[in-house]
Amino acid sequence: MLKIKVFGHKAPDTDSVVSAIAYAWYLDEIKKQPAMAYVLGEINKETSYVLDRFGFEAPPILDKVVAEDKIVLVDTNNPDELLDTIKDAHLLEIVDHHKLVGGISTAHPISITMRPMASTASLIYTLINPELHNLSKEMAGLMLSAILSDTLEFRSPTTTDEDKEIAEELARLAEVDMSELASEMFKMKSDISHLDAEGLITMDSKVFDIHGKQIRVSVIETTDTTPALAMKDDIKKGMVSHAESNGLADVLVFVVDILNEEATLIVATDEAKSLAEKAFNVKIENDTVVLPGVVSRKKQIIPALQS
Ligand SMILES: [Mn+2]
């Protein structure tokens, strides 16, 4: 029997990978519906670290789906963040915490669970009902990692009281010190020494429709902005060439300082500059501007750019 394929968005982050693993486990072990987790691209250093720490294998990379495939989407409902062949497959379910973007249609009724929580892992926790299902220490640790990653250890304004309560419960089950885990994760996330400008631009990145233009909005979350900002000139060149070769109107890069809770925006074109000046109500002298308090693409950056 063909297993259900569970996966999240392209440029997978910790929440999308962990959510695929956790939900595939739930379908497979608890609901007795054979399922397996996949990813749509290389996993990042933070995600490798938490998989390793809690004893999980990286899910295999999926590069296409076919008509026979039964699929479940986690941590996205956006066809632009999925495979081109996605409409060919038999979609069973969506579990997500992003805004509803539309564009996916199905031939059959499907289950959709979407809530404004800070991570898909938090939402999956509420669906799994862990009291009944004896979540393993390892799975609890993994799911906790996803919440810490998406909330930047509760600094992001997306964080709800429920996310915090769930994280505390998972930390108890996993017997893990949350702040120790978060600081190890952020250390891994902040290591960009293996990445060139294109790697930095696409590491944590999504394309949005902003006033009718397709614009890539990239974030580099770090506890030390120095290495990324030292590469600013290379990054700017990379932003222009990435936009050109991918048919995009522009690329914006936000270097997010997790600990000081601010973002440094890098702009490479006059259009990006005037878009950002209006969106954030700032004057950009040269090619960067510091935006105090800005850490969340979902809740702060995109709404400002689209307003
Ligand atoms: Mn997420």
Side-chain angles (χ1 to χ4, degrees), residues 174-227:
E175 297 172 33
V176 157
D177 176 346
M178 270 199 273
S179 58
E180 181 270 333
L181 172 60
S183 85
E184 289 301 316
M185 287 168 55
F186 297 159
K187 211 191 288 173
M188 297 307 291
K189 199 199 278 279
S190 303
D191 178 8
I192 56 163
S193 55
H194 57 300
L195 294 170
D196 60 7
E198 173 71 10
L200 282 173
I201 290 166
T202 53
M203 174 175 61
D204 184 351
S205 183
K206 293 180 180 178
V207 176
F208 295 87
D209 183 301
I210 295 169
H211 306 307
K213 289 182 175 163
Q214 293 295 106
I215 296 183
R216 179 174 288 285
V217 180
S218 304
V219 300
I220 301 167
E221 293 170 344
T222 180
T223 55
D224 178 10
T225 59
T226 319

Side-chain angles (χ1 to χ4, degrees), residues 15 75 97-98 120 150:
D15 188 39
D75 199 37
H97 70 134
H98 291 88
T120 302
D150 261 23

Side-chain angles (χ1 to χ4, degrees), residues 201 210 215-218 220 228-229 231-241 243 249-255 263-280 282-291 301 305:
I201 290 166
I210 295 169
I215 296 183
R216 179 174 288 285
V217 180
S218 304
I220 301 167
L229 293 177
M231 290 174 68
K232 186 187 73 182
D233 291 340
D234 269 358
I235 292 173
K236 277 172 64 186
K237 275 183 217 144
M239 289 159 72
V240 173
S241 62
D250 227 313
V251 176
L252 297 175
V253 172
F254 294 79
V255 182
T264 303
L265 166 61
I266 304 174
V267 293
T269 65
D270 289 341
E271 293 75 32
K273 194 178 201 173
S274 72
L275 169 67
E277 287 187 334
K278 280 191 208 104
F280 298 102
V282 289
K283 188 92 197 98
I284 303 178
E285 290 305 335
N286 211 332
D287 48 17
T288 61
V289 64
V290 174
L291 305 169
I301 294 172
L305 290 170

